[in-house]
Amino acid sequence: QKEVEQNSGPLSVPEGAIASLNCTYSDRGSQSFFWYRQYSGKSPELIMFIYSNGDKEDGRFTAQLNKASQYVSLLIRDSQPSDSATYLCAAASNFGNEKLTFGTGTRLTIIP
Amino acid sequence: SQTIHQWPATLVQPVGSPLSLECTVEGTSNPNLYWYRQAAGRGLQLLFYSVGIGQISSEVPQNLSASRPQDRQFILSSKKLLLSDSGFYLCAWSSAGGTQYFGPGTRLTVL
């Protein structure tokens, strides 16, 4: 069974520090990886996606992918209280991205 | 820009009652459409996806069904709800091969 695993947290990070969120996946055939942010009681919103090994930066966010280690991470620089949320990692096993497997999410709290 | 709507936002239903949740997308044509369920403390579970009108793929066998009567309309139904059907139901859309974007969700409580 294809699985995506995340540390459920909670992860507490001081304001202004770097938050590091990690995710591992079991299916070596996974092609694309997605990070979503979900505020309590709300629906997930896309932060960024990555499908090539290495780093991808978008503003304060950096996604990192290592397919050999089956490992994906999300770094949040200069963490803000508004970054406090649950972060969901997802993997797509096909190029069409129709079938996303989600992790259970990591709850992040930014401490002012 | 594209917008995705879901209704109702919240729903409380007795066990054994029927269910109909609706999702519509604006601003795009021939989207891929998805139904997910998020139960308390669990990850998002893909229930159904559709790549076109009348084309439904079921991911999890259960007492739910989905239909796509129009290009930008996706409906989730049940004839008889179970307690275990409680959860946060999310509709998502994507272009073919693209990233999935979620609607606001419907919170369903089955009593």
Side-chain angles (χ1 to χ4, degrees):
Chain A
Q1 184 174 348
K2 300 169 185 175
E3 293 182 344
V4 173
E5 296 193 1
Q6 298 180 253
N7 187 324
S8 62
L11 175 66
S12 295
V13 173
E15 183 175 356
I18 296 175
S20 178
L21 303 163
N22 305 316
C23 170
T24 59
Y25 59 96
S26 63
D27 181 12
R28 283 198 171 274
S30 296
Q31 302 292 337
S32 309
F33 304 87
F34 303 82
W35 283 101
Y36 288 85
R37 177 176 62 198
Q38 187 174 23
Y39 293 114
S40 181
K42 302 296 185 181
S43 63
E45 53 181 335
L46 179 71
I47 297 174
M48 61 193 306
F49 63 88
I50 186 168
Y51 50 83
S52 298
N53 273 328
D55 296 358
K56 180 181 179 182
E57 187 174 319
D58 184 358
R60 296 188 296 113
F61 299 95
T62 299
Q64 300 175 317
L65 174 60
N66 183 325
K67 289 188 177 180
S69 300
Q70 296 177 245
Y71 179 88
V72 191
S73 65
L74 180 70
L75 302 178
I76 307 174
R77 290 182 299 280
D78 188 23
S79 297
Q80 303 297 311
S82 59
D83 295 326
S84 297
T86 296
Y87 289 79
L88 305 175
C89 173
S93 59
N94 60 330
F95 286 107
N97 293 336
E98 286 95 14
K99 298 185 180 182
L100 292 185
T101 300
F102 281 83
T104 53
T106 297
R107 187 155 58 93
L108 174 67
T109 300
I110 306 301
I111 304 170
Chain B
S1 63
Q2 298 82 13
T3 308
I4 180 168
H5 303 279
Q6 286 186 247
W7 63 90
T10 60
L11 192 59
V12 179
Q13 292 284 93
V15 169
S17 64
L19 173 74
S20 181
L21 303 181
E22 190 166 343
C23 169
T24 59
V25 181
E26 296 177 355
T28 185
S29 296
N30 196 29
N32 288 351
L33 296 172
Y34 311 83
W35 279 112
Y36 288 88
R37 177 170 62 200
Q38 188 175 39
R42 303 183 66 178
L44 280 165
Q45 179 185 35
L46 178 63
L47 302 175
F48 302 94
Y49 72 92
S50 171
V51 298
I53 296 175
Q55 302 178 59
I56 309 293
S57 295
S58 174
E59 291 300 302
V60 184
Q62 53 201 324
N63 68 321
L64 300 172
S65 62
S67 62
R68 185 170 177 173
Q70 300 180 43
D71 181 45
R72 289 170 287 179
Q73 183 184 31
F74 205 22
I75 296 172
L76 182 70
S77 303
S78 174
K79 292 182 179 178
K80 288 186 177 182
L81 284 169
L82 307 173
L83 284 174
S84 58
D85 290 325
S86 293
F88 192 33
Y89 286 81
L90 292 155
C91 181
W93 78 274
S94 72
S95 56
T99 305
Q100 294 183 27
Y101 298 93
F102 288 88
T106 295
R107 193 162 301 280
L108 172 66
T109 303
V110 182
L111 301 176

